[in-house]
């Protein structure tokens, strides 16, 4: 169907087209100088020492688990209210994801108190997700990690440009991961970035990202090497020059587009406050978010799918973020997870609806969505 207001949209223009055409004319399409520049600019933006472009956010998470030596017999504490890739990356390394509940119905981020409850002598790391672009309580998470000698991975797929106590999200963990999927705040279609301030971890990332090879095709093309060794079991997780060209342009637009997202959220909050059937998480958030998505929580008397159906009939696209991972069939069968394990996460999983949010939206779009919400609640 033709949507009147889409869930997400991309700010793409002539500058991105020109950047991609320049790559095509160069005839160098695999990872090379444009990707190197993207990595440098990304590291500069975050104020981190090392940034490595990869094929997707999931690849970044997998590499993060690998370089921290997460392996069979280990446990990693993760949120369940996130995209399944966060937990899958733990499984790729043979370890077990241990799910922690969210903080509250006002804060959908992982609960430090529940993380503390889930720590055992098998726990190797904590993965946090800055849900919706709202930073986690990193002070508490890092204190737990220090007390129990745990590693911290930041899944910052939602949070590029967000800040916690004046520092960018993605700069707190031992290693941090970003996604540039087609609905993200910075878009390359597919793609991601893995960043760290640890020189030893950086060298491991560099090797593992490209088949465990000591030299890349671009190095050999530039005459810096004639052959290569393979020193570890690596993967083909490289990013293309086309994606990196898009990323460089998108990075320039990021802060401005995040500000546009913030204004749209402000309009929503003004319009929706009159509806007792709807609550808005993070409504009183005082820090700097990236406003990746706009989640709302329906009361139990509202049929969520009927609500979403009525909006769809009016050309408004919605979604759910997220069905809890621990209740997916694969996770139930593999680990025996059951309903009731994470009460707050499961409640959100049953009642949450994500409304449209992107930098191309107008105040009139918000007005239209909220008018149709009012109609659907009557």
């Amino acid at each position: 169907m033709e949507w009147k207001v889409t869930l997400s949209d991309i700010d793409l223009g002539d500058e991105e087209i020109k950047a991609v055409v320049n790559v095509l004319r160069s005839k160098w399409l695999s990872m090379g100088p444009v990707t190197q520049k993207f990595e440098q600019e990304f590291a500069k933006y975050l104020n981190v020492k090392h940034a490595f472009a990869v094929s997707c956010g999931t690849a970044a998470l997998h590499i993060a688990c690998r370089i921290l030596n997460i392996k069979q017999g280990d446990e990693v504490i993760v949120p369940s209210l996130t995209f399944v890739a966060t937990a899958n990356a733990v499984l790729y390394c043979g370890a077990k994801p241990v799910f922690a509940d969210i903080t509250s119905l006002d804060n959908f981020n992982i609960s430090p108190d529940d993380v503390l409850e889930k720590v055992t002598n098998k726990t190797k790391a904590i993965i946090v997700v800055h849900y919706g672009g709202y930073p986690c309580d990193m002070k508490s998470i890092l204190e737990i990690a220090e007390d129990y000698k745990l590693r911290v991975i930041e899944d910052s797929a939602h949070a590029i440009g967000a800040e916690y106590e004046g520092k960018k999200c993605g700069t707190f963990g031992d290693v941090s991961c970003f996604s540039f999927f087609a609905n993200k705040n910075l878009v390359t279609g597919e793609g991601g970035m893995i960043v760290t301030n640890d020189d030893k971890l950086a060298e491991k990332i560099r090797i593992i990202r490209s088949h465990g090879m000591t030299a890349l095709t671009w190095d050999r093309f530039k005459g810096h090497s004639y052959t290569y060794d393979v020193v570890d079991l690596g993967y083909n997780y490289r990013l293309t020059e086309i994606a990196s060209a898009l990323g460089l342009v998108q990075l320039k637009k990021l802060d401005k587009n995040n500000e546009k997202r913030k204004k749209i959220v402000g309009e929503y909050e003004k319009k929706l406050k009159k509806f007792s059937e709807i609550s808005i998480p993070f409504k009183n958030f005082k820090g700097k978010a990236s406003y990746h998505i706009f989640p709302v929580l329906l009361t139990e008397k509202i049929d969520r799918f009927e609500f979403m159906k009525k909006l769809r009939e009016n050309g408004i696209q919605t979604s759910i973020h997220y069905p809890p991972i621990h209740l997916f069939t694969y996770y139930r069968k593999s680990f025996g997870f059951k309903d009731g394990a994470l009460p707050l996460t499961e409640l959100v999983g049953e009642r949450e609806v994500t409304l449209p949010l992107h930098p191309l939206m107008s105040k009139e779009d918000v007005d239209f969505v909220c008018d149709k919400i009012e109609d659907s609640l009557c």
Side-chain angles (χ1 to χ4, degrees):
M1 65 176 296
E2 186 173 343
W3 299 109
K4 293 179 181 177
V5 186
T6 57
L7 184 69
S8 63
D9 202 352
I10 307 171
D11 179 9
L12 286 179
D14 291 340
E15 195 174 354
E16 283 93 347
I17 294 169
K18 181 180 178 182
V20 169
V21 169
N22 286 341
V23 168
L24 294 175
R25 285 178 173 154
S26 78
K27 297 186 179 181
W28 190 273
L29 305 184
S30 59
M31 195 169 68
V34 179
T35 301
Q36 289 177 351
K37 185 176 180 183
F38 183 31
E39 292 169 338
Q40 291 163 2
E41 293 299 318
F42 198 88
K44 182 179 177 181
Y45 177 80
L46 289 184
N47 193 26
V48 294
K49 290 176 68 175
H50 307 284
F52 298 88
V54 291
S55 54
C56 61
T58 307
L61 288 164
H62 183 198
I63 291 174
C65 291
R66 263 289 309 273
I67 64 171
L68 295 180
N69 197 32
I70 293 168
K71 59 187 183 303
Q72 190 168 2
D74 292 335
E75 294 178 349
V76 179
I77 299 173
V78 301
S80 182
L81 196 70
T82 179
F83 185 59
V84 70
T86 309
N88 281 354
V90 176
L91 297 183
Y92 296 160
C93 294
K96 178 184 177 181
V98 174
F99 294 104
D101 213 344
I102 62 172
T103 299
S104 71
L105 297 185
D106 293 318
N107 182 343
F108 292 178
N109 281 319
I110 195 168
S111 163
D113 291 338
D114 202 38
V115 168
L116 191 56
E117 288 289 322
K118 301 293 171 65
V119 175
T120 72
N121 59 6
K122 294 182 179 180
T123 307
K124 190 75 166 280
I126 305 166
I127 302 180
V128 300
V129 175
H130 303 293
Y131 179 99
Y134 296 90
C136 292
D137 179 358
M138 292 307 301
K139 180 180 178 183
S140 296
I141 293 294
L142 293 173
E143 286 174 354
I144 295 169
E146 183 176 1
D147 288 345
Y148 291 91
K149 295 180 172 54
L150 305 177
R151 297 289 206 160
V152 175
I153 299 171
E154 280 181 87
D155 182 339
S156 300
H158 291 191
I160 183 168
E163 295 181 3
Y164 176 82
E165 296 186 350
K167 284 182 62 179
K168 290 279 196 303
C169 289
T171 63
F172 294 91
D174 294 281
V175 62
S176 302
C177 305
F178 294 84
S179 169
F180 307 140
F181 185 62
N183 66 348
K184 295 298 189 289
N185 295 41
L186 187 160
V187 173
T188 66
E190 293 284 358
M193 195 77 72
I194 179 168
V195 306
T196 186
N197 283 311
D198 186 308
D199 294 342
K200 291 181 179 179
L201 293 180
E203 180 60 18
K204 290 181 180 179
I205 295 167
R206 187 183 69 80
I207 294 295
I208 287 173
R209 170 179 61 169
S210 188
H211 297 292
M213 296 162 60
T214 55
L216 303 175
T217 307
W218 178 247
D219 297 322
R220 299 195 295 280
F221 179 79
K222 294 290 288 183
H224 297 158
S225 178
Y226 295 101
T227 186
Y228 60 88
D229 191 10
V230 173
V231 295
D232 200 347
L233 176 65
Y235 310 96
N236 182 3
Y237 283 166
R238 298 181 297 262
L239 191 65
T240 70
E241 292 286 272
I242 292 172
S244 294
L246 290 170
L248 275 167
V249 179
Q250 287 277 299
L251 185 59
K252 294 177 186 176
K253 296 179 174 182
L254 177 64
D255 288 340
K256 181 179 70 174
N257 281 338
N258 280 356
E259 278 299 312
K260 290 180 180 179
R261 289 172 177 271
K262 180 181 179 179
K263 289 178 181 177
I264 294 298
V265 168
E267 291 296 327
Y268 268 129
E269 290 178 347
K270 285 189 290 185
K271 290 282 185 180
L272 294 177
K273 64 182 178 181
K274 65 181 179 180
F275 301 119
S276 61
E277 302 93 338
I278 295 174
S279 62
I280 303 171
F282 305 103
K283 188 174 182 179
N284 298 313
F285 178 77
K286 302 299 182 185
K288 185 175 181 180
S290 61
Y291 304 97
H292 171 55
I293 56 174
F294 185 67
V296 298
L297 203 60
L298 305 179
T299 61
E300 59 185 359
K301 68 179 183 180
I302 303 298
D303 184 313
R304 177 170 63 175
F305 291 108
E306 188 62 27
F307 176 83
M308 296 173 74
K309 178 184 176 184
K310 288 179 179 177
L311 292 182
R312 185 181 70 235
E313 289 170 351
N314 284 285
I316 299 167
Q317 186 181 18
T318 59
S319 189
I320 295 169
H321 289 85
Y322 291 91
I325 297 173
H326 71 286
L327 298 183
F328 286 138
T329 300
Y330 176 80
Y331 279 83
R332 286 179 184 267
K333 287 183 176 179
S334 299
F335 301 101
F337 294 122
K338 294 183 172 64
D339 295 71
L342 304 173
L344 293 177
T345 294
E346 291 169 34
L347 190 152
V348 171
E350 292 170 357
R351 298 188 197 168
E352 189 273 342
V353 174
T354 306
L355 299 179
L357 175 61
H358 55 80
L360 303 185
M361 283 184 69
S362 65
K363 181 180 180 298
E364 290 70 29
D365 290 328
V366 178
D367 291 342
F368 177 75
V369 172
C370 293
D371 287 345
K372 297 309 176 186
I373 286 174
E374 183 167 19
D375 292 344
S376 72
L377 294 174
C378 291

